[in-house]
Amino acid sequence: MASRRGALIVLEGVDRAGKSTQGRKLVSALCAAGHRAELLRFPERSTEIGKLLSSYLEKKNELEDHSVHLLFSANRWEQVPLMKEKLSQGVTLVVDRYAFSGVAFTSAKELQLVDAAARGEFGQERYENGASQERALQCFHQLMRDTTLNWKVVDASKSIEDIHQEIRALSEDVILSAMQRPLGELWK
Ligand code: 2DT
Ligand code: MG
């Protein structure tokens, strides 16, 4: 039997929404249920570009805003051949942040230029502050108006287990519907 394509499931949201925890739990649950599923994350910090981005996020280097945006994009592009191969082999990919974070966090930066109401920092890395996260959230809401993408909103204030069950049920549905549709293209 020809292997059916896997689904591309992207977890997006602000920092500390629980994306990484949920991504790990989702992959384990899907695998336990007999699906082939793997976890990816962006930025993927292990590549050369990823190392540069990691130092940038850790504030160990400075990069020009436009070029850092393109590096985040390049960091996704460098994984595309692997992602396409996995998806076409029937592996479902659960991705912790993708191009939507790219848009949201760059837009948040541009908004910052007009909105200087900075708040106290609550994290070590770049963007880990309330003002950046709030602007990124506004941008995620705008991106969700694109109804060609199958967005599902999950309330991150619920318990880890409740959120997990919700995401898991949504994922089972999307894996089934992805099988009916050929692999398409998504902007990166
Ligand atoms: P975490 O590793 O904690 O998720 O933080 N980001 C991410 C961008 O600015 N552009 C992008 O394209 C992507 C994928 C969001 C990663 C930080 O990097 C930001 C938070
Ligand atoms: Mg972070």
Side-chain angles (χ1 to χ4, degrees):
M1 185 181 76
S3 71
R4 286 173 294 192
R5 61 157 292 199
L8 177 65
I9 299 172
V10 175
L11 303 177
E12 287 285 11
V14 293
D15 253 40
R16 295 169 206 193
K19 298 179 296 301
S20 308
T21 305
Q22 292 297 334
R24 281 192 299 271
K25 284 178 77 76
L26 178 60
V27 168
S28 317
L30 291 176
C31 291
H35 296 285
R36 290 164 70 206
E38 292 179 23
L39 185 66
L40 296 178
R41 75 222 55 77
F42 289 101
E44 170 48 64
R45 300 187 191 218
S46 65
T47 66
E48 290 305 314
I49 292 172
K51 284 176 199 158
L52 202 54
L53 288 169
S54 194
S55 320
Y56 173 76
L57 290 168
E58 291 164 16
K59 300 178 184 167
K60 290 178 183 158
N61 65 13
E62 290 299 325
L63 294 166
E64 195 273 336
D65 288 342
H66 303 80
S67 68
V68 82
H69 180 80
L70 294 176
L71 287 172
F72 273 111
S73 176
N75 182 242
R76 286 185 287 276
W77 276 108
E78 59 186 356
Q79 302 300 320
V80 168
L82 177 77
M83 291 172 73
K84 282 190 170 169
E85 195 189 324
K86 299 258 183 199
L87 289 170
S88 63
Q89 286 169 351
V91 178
T92 284
L93 298 178
V94 175
V95 188
D96 185 349
R97 293 194 191 279
Y98 200 53
F100 313 98
S101 275
V103 174
F105 282 82
T106 293
S107 302
K109 227 176 212 178
E110 285 162 9
L111 281 170
Q112 195 163 23
L113 300 178
V114 291
D115 169 19
R119 296 190 188 166
E121 290 205 346
F122 60 76
Q124 297 301 308
E125 286 203 336
R126 211 179 286 267
Y127 310 139
E128 288 183 341
N129 62 78
S132 291
Q133 297 296 323
E134 224 171 87
R135 288 189 296 265
L137 182 60
Q138 280 172 31
C139 188
F140 281 130
H141 281 295
Q142 279 179 23
L143 289 168
M144 282 191 295
R145 292 192 205 146
D146 179 353
T147 50
T148 61
L149 296 170
N150 187 13
W151 288 103
K152 304 285 179 202
V153 180
V154 177
D155 176 359
S157 68
K158 293 194 280 188
S159 75
I160 290 180
E161 202 49 40
D162 284 355
I163 297 171
H164 170 59
Q165 293 309 338
E166 190 176 337
I167 294 181
R168 184 190 159 142
L170 291 168
S171 300
E172 292 278 1
D173 289 347
V174 90
I175 288 169
L176 285 178
S177 58
M179 284 177 187
Q180 326 290 326
R181 303 200 314 175
L183 268 183
E185 286 294 330
L186 182 58
W187 44 275
K188 294 150 189 101

